[in-house]
Amino acid sequence: MSIDPFEQNDGAALAIPVAARPEPGLPMSDAQVDDSAERAAILDAPASARLLVEAGPGTGKTEMAAKRLARLIRTEISPGQILVLSFSRSAVRTLTRRLTRVGETDPGVVEELRHLSIRTFDSWAFRMLRLLGEPPRALLARGHDENIAQLTKVIGSSRREALRSLIGDRRHIIVDEFQDLPGVRGDLVLALLSLLAPPRQPGCGFTILGDPAQAIYGFARGRREDGTPFPSPQQYWKQVIGLYGDELEEVALRRNYRAHSSLAQLSAELRAVLLSDRPEEDKLRFMMEAVAALPAPAEPLGRAFLEGNGTGSRAILTRTNGEALRVLQRLFGRELQGPRTPIRLRAGGYATLPPAWIGALLRKLRSSNLPRSQFGRIHDHLTSIWGEETCRRLSLPDEDVAWARLARASGAAEETTAIDLPTLRAHLSWPDAFPDDQPVGEDGLIVTTVHQSKGMEFDIVTMLDAPAEEDDDDPEDEDAEHGAGEEASVAYVAVTRAGRTLERIPASQIYQPPTRWRFNDGRERLCCWRKGWINMEMGIRGDIDPFGFADPQLLGGPDGVEELQAFLLAEAGRLEGRQVMLCKEVTDGKAIWLIRLQDENGPGRIIGRTAQQLTYDLLKVLHSHGYSLPRTILNLRISSVGTITGDGGTRLAEPERTSGLWLGVGLFGTGDFKTWKGNRR
């Protein structure tokens, strides 16, 4: 009798343009510098050492951090005694991947580091405040910066020792991209050092890595509660030097391993200008001259562009999220399936779903309690049915690793013998549940802003020129606050993401960038109103009804739900970039849009529906001008297949009613629709 597992029992290098050379006498290529002694000093330093490492682009900063972690674990301390904090999720992912490649730790240690010790400041602050007893609902209602500021206050309060106890026996701290920690994050680093590594007293060692030439987040530093401005990134750097004095070991890495010689030469010359005492306007002028002299790609944005430029990792870097959306529109064109070359958007504001493998594995659970033995049966049963290809597209971990991740996400120890499913569901939206849950594609093309590209590297980089008319409403484009020096650093970061080929495309190849419209509850959308058409950013958090992917009434009964879930499972990993259209439906006087795959002849199969949030925002835009809601919204794309969770009550049938887990999709892009007046439904 069979057992039901769900029942509980190297290309051409770029020639340096002459116009890009600021003047004679600047350093030659850092590719020829010998800094092996400095690298050895970092690797050989004991856990008690306090290091400040200046590491320029391409010097292998992430590789050095990974090797230092591995060396400390292998020779001196355990993974649980190390805390690694980084600025962004992409930097966390990059470091995690690099740890698996250095070959100096076993897979179990790498996995432990991945979950226990490598965190963004946002997720770590959330975790610490939650462990201190603050309600998760309140933490989720606040912004990341508010939570980080609150944790900094705790360090200076009577709860200081309670926090120290929760942090545990840490013997070394690693802080990455320190130059990009303005405002509350910079204050948190200084407060954390005072707690765990007080100057001239016994305590933790630390390794702080950064590059003053790449400080591009100074515009975001803001002001403290008392009205005084936060220090600049450079001032935070100097404060660490001043606090620790001669007990601080300062090390500089200069050799550029990423770029071919001509790009390394260009990077070295521009870096020397940025770190010089020249006026900031001169720095910006030199940088803009270098960018203006870059060659253009052989083909404009479109299919031919995607098929050109040879092989390797590729990126298009823009200054704003709005520009990134416009670039995507040109690249996708009218292809329904998306280009053969995978294209991924890395931009803020979009809802990111928990990993699809969770919903795929646990959707058919018929109990609120998941024993370890039952999970093993489910994992074995489904992996044998799905096959290797489906497991790969789901990024499904091995059984032990998958259990450990689910246990930690639910708040239990990885050796727990059972997981409470309602607790796991409630935790899936927490920022510290899966700190490294979004895979980074090694192939295809990434479209992202310069700011979000920090810590990333590509064989081929295409920079989008700044448009003639600036997008003053975009928070990543606040020229009044950036300053010329920081604008120069933004361009420098873009230039130094490239390893083999660097080029630029004129802003004229995209339509006018969208502006930012603001709605209730602090929501923002990129929008453009042009010649009777509106292009509005859609797919932000709250735009999609989570129950639409599992609602029998919408999908034609339980069999329809099962068919859609099987389709999403089979197509996970292949639906990215697939075009959808939104078709209006009015029920009980309320308008929503059905999410339908777009076929050659129009709307295809239903895969979900929008939520009322999107309706409200469209009403705000359109009714004030006398326009009606659109019947059809075009040109949105599927971002990914992921896990959806919720308590649908009587709206859902089994198994989703009990498990509260199923598969769904995220959307991204601008929904395009024609404006019109009248009362047509």
Side-chain angles (χ1 to χ4, degrees):
M1 181 178 66
S2 62
I3 298 176
D4 184 346
F6 297 99
E7 293 287 1
Q8 185 173 326
N9 323 259
D10 193 0
L14 171 73
I16 305 171
V18 173
R21 295 178 180 269
E23 62 180 47
L26 291 175
M28 293 303 291
S29 172
D30 282 345
Q32 301 163 357
V33 173
D34 181 8
D35 59 5
S36 56
E38 287 80 1
R39 293 174 188 274
I42 296 171
L43 289 177
D44 295 338
S48 59
R50 295 171 175 182
L51 304 177
L52 183 63
V53 180
E54 179 182 332
T59 55
K61 175 170 59 64
T62 302
E63 181 84 6
M64 179 59 62
K67 287 183 175 181
R68 175 132 175 82
L69 283 167
R71 182 73 62 87
L72 288 173
I73 293 167
R74 193 178 70 249
T75 63
E76 197 170 349
I77 56 181
S78 68
Q81 293 177 307
I82 302 174
L83 173 64
V84 184
L85 296 174
S86 191
F87 178 73
S88 67
R89 289 168 65 91
S90 64
V92 168
R93 290 192 297 268
T94 301
L95 178 56
T96 301
R97 291 201 317 276
R98 198 62 56 89
L99 275 168
T100 65
R101 297 176 183 172
V102 297
E104 296 181 16
T105 56
D106 62 65
V109 171
V110 172
E111 180 63 22
E112 187 174 358
L113 275 168
R114 178 188 185 279
H115 282 276
L116 289 181
S117 304
I118 306 176
R119 298 279 177 177
T120 64
F121 284 88
D122 303 338
S123 67
W124 188 71
F126 183 97
R127 181 179 181 83
M128 290 297 102
L129 291 172
R130 177 170 60 81
L131 294 175
L132 282 167
E134 298 204 20
R137 185 182 298 273
L139 296 175
L140 290 169
R142 297 200 302 240
H144 290 316
D145 286 8
E146 293 177 278
N147 287 332
I148 291 170
Q150 177 62 25
L151 185 61
T152 302
K153 287 182 181 178
V154 169
I155 296 177
S157 74
S158 59
R159 294 195 289 169
R160 177 185 180 94
E161 291 305 316
L163 176 62
R164 186 200 294 272
S165 177
L166 286 173
I167 293 174
D169 178 27
R170 304 289 182 174
R171 292 182 55 194
H172 200 82
I173 307 169
I174 290 183
V175 178
D176 194 17
E177 301 287 1
F178 183 60
Q179 80 285 341
D180 280 337
L181 303 178
V184 292
R185 289 164 183 80
D187 274 9
L188 178 59
V189 170
L190 295 181
L192 184 61
L193 292 179
S194 74
L195 178 67
L196 302 180
R200 295 171 181 80
Q201 296 181 38
C204 272
F206 58 76
T207 304
I208 296 176
L209 305 103
D211 179 18
Q214 297 184 69
I216 61 174
Y217 280 92
F219 72 92
R221 57 179 175 154
R223 293 179 177 273
R224 296 189 173 104
E225 289 184 354
D226 61 6
T228 60
F230 286 104
S232 68
Q234 292 84 354
Q235 289 170 332
Y236 279 118
W237 189 277
K238 292 177 180 177
Q239 282 189 40
V240 173
I241 295 174
L243 283 171
Y244 288 92
D246 56 9
E247 69 175 314
L248 184 69
E249 299 178 43
E250 296 183 64
V251 185
L253 302 180
R254 290 188 54 203
R255 182 162 185 175
N256 190 330
Y257 291 91
R258 174 191 303 162
H260 279 212
S261 59
S262 58
L263 285 175
Q265 173 78 40
L266 180 61
S267 172
E269 294 180 348
L270 295 174
R271 177 180 170 81
V273 172
L274 286 176
L275 296 179
S276 71
D277 294 330
R278 300 170 184 273
E280 292 195 347
E281 290 74 13
D282 283 355
K283 297 178 182 179
L284 181 58
R285 177 172 58 82
F286 284 130
M287 187 61 63
M288 292 301 99
E289 287 178 358
V291 172
L294 296 175
E299 301 290 345
L301 292 175
R303 182 193 296 267
F305 174 88
L306 291 173
E307 295 174 352
N309 276 5
T311 60
S313 57
R314 301 172 61 188
I316 297 177
L317 303 184
T318 68
R319 296 177 69 251
T320 71
N321 287 324
E323 292 170 7
L325 288 176
R326 286 302 194 200
V327 166
L328 281 171
Q329 286 181 321
R330 292 299 303 272
L331 291 173
F332 278 117
R334 296 186 179 275
E335 295 185 46
L336 300 178
Q337 300 290 341
R340 285 175 296 178
T341 300
I343 301 176
R344 297 172 175 85
L345 175 68
R346 296 286 181 261
Y350 288 101
T352 55
L353 300 177
W357 61 265
I358 300 173
L361 281 178
L362 304 183
R363 182 174 74 88
K364 293 187 177 181
L365 275 176
R366 298 167 191 164
S367 170
S368 61
N369 187 59
L370 176 62
R372 176 67 178 86
S373 58
Q374 183 188 11
F375 177 79
R377 294 196 301 271
I378 292 173
H379 194 284
D380 289 345
H381 175 69
L382 291 181
T383 52
S384 65
I385 292 175
W386 292 341
E388 184 176 335
E389 173 62 18
T390 297
C391 293
R392 183 190 64 80
R393 286 188 283 103
L394 288 172
S395 298
L396 177 64
D398 293 338
E399 178 189 329
D400 289 342
V401 173
W403 177 260
R405 294 182 186 179
L406 292 173
R408 289 188 178 118
S410 70
E414 67 175 84
E415 61 271 13
T416 186
T417 59
I419 292 175
D420 181 68
L421 205 61
T423 302
L424 174 64
R425 291 199 305 264
H427 289 195
L428 285 183
S429 63
W430 293 6
D432 61 336
F434 288 88
D436 181 25
D437 60 346
Q438 301 300 317
V440 176
E442 299 290 346
D443 58 348
L445 173 69
I446 290 178
V447 180
T448 188
T449 64
V450 177
H451 287 80
Q452 300 224 15
S453 74
K454 286 300 296 294
M456 305 171 78
E457 57 187 62
F458 308 92
D459 295 312
I460 304 165
V461 168
T462 304
M463 298 173 59
L464 178 71
D465 274 350
E469 295 184 10
E470 302 292 348
D471 177 10
D472 293 331
D473 290 326
D474 196 308
E476 292 183 358
D477 187 22
E478 301 182 12
D479 292 330
E481 298 183 40
H482 263 239
E486 194 165 311
E487 284 290 331
S489 291
V490 170
Y492 179 67
V493 167
V495 166
T496 55
R497 298 309 93 197
R500 188 177 76 225
T501 301
L502 179 64
E503 56 194 17
R504 69 178 180 88
I505 51 177
S508 59
Q509 288 197 22
I510 65 172
Y511 297 118
Q512 178 184 357
T515 56
R516 191 170 293 275
W517 292 353
R518 292 173 172 83
F519 299 89
N520 296 335
D521 301 324
R523 290 193 301 278
E524 296 180 338
R525 297 182 191 268
L526 295 162
C527 303
C528 181
W529 200 318
R530 188 172 183 267
K531 295 183 179 180
W533 281 81
I534 288 182
N535 316 122
M536 177 184 287
E537 180 182 17
M538 297 179 184
I540 66 174
R541 294 172 181 85
D543 275 358
I544 299 175
D545 179 1
F547 302 105
F549 305 108
D551 188 344
Q553 185 174 352
L554 174 68
L555 299 172
D559 289 345
V561 174
E562 191 63 35
E563 182 187 4
L564 175 61
Q565 290 296 307
F567 172 77
L568 294 177
L569 173 64
E571 296 300 315
R574 290 196 290 246
L575 282 177
E576 288 188 17
R578 178 71 185 270
Q579 193 169 31
V580 301
M581 59 192 305
L582 307 184
C583 302
K584 190 175 75 169
E585 181 177 84
V586 178
T587 304
D588 297 329
K590 297 181 180 180
I592 56 96
W593 283 262
L594 301 181
I595 305 169
R596 310 185 74 133
L597 293 180
Q598 186 166 339
D599 295 332
E600 293 288 349
N601 298 320
R605 70 176 303 154
I606 296 173
I607 59 172
R609 64 183 164 221
T610 63
Q612 285 295 302
Q613 170 180 287
L614 181 60
T615 306
Y616 297 149
D617 287 357
L618 285 168
L619 286 171
K620 180 177 180 180
V621 171
L622 295 173
H623 277 204
S624 61
H625 293 83
Y627 291 108
S628 297
L629 291 171
R631 290 176 296 177
T632 305
I633 300 173
L634 306 171
N635 295 329
L636 286 165
R637 302 278 175 170
I638 293 175
S639 59
S640 65
V641 174
T643 293
I644 306 294
T645 183
D647 181 4
T650 57
R651 297 174 60 185
L652 302 184
E654 295 297 348
E656 290 82 13
R657 183 184 298 175
T658 295
S659 71
L661 295 165
W662 54 91
L663 295 176
V665 303
L667 301 181
F668 74 95
T670 58
D672 304 337
F673 56 91
K674 185 80 171 177
T675 57
W676 50 274
K677 296 184 179 182
N679 295 317
R680 291 180 293 169
R681 294 173 69 88

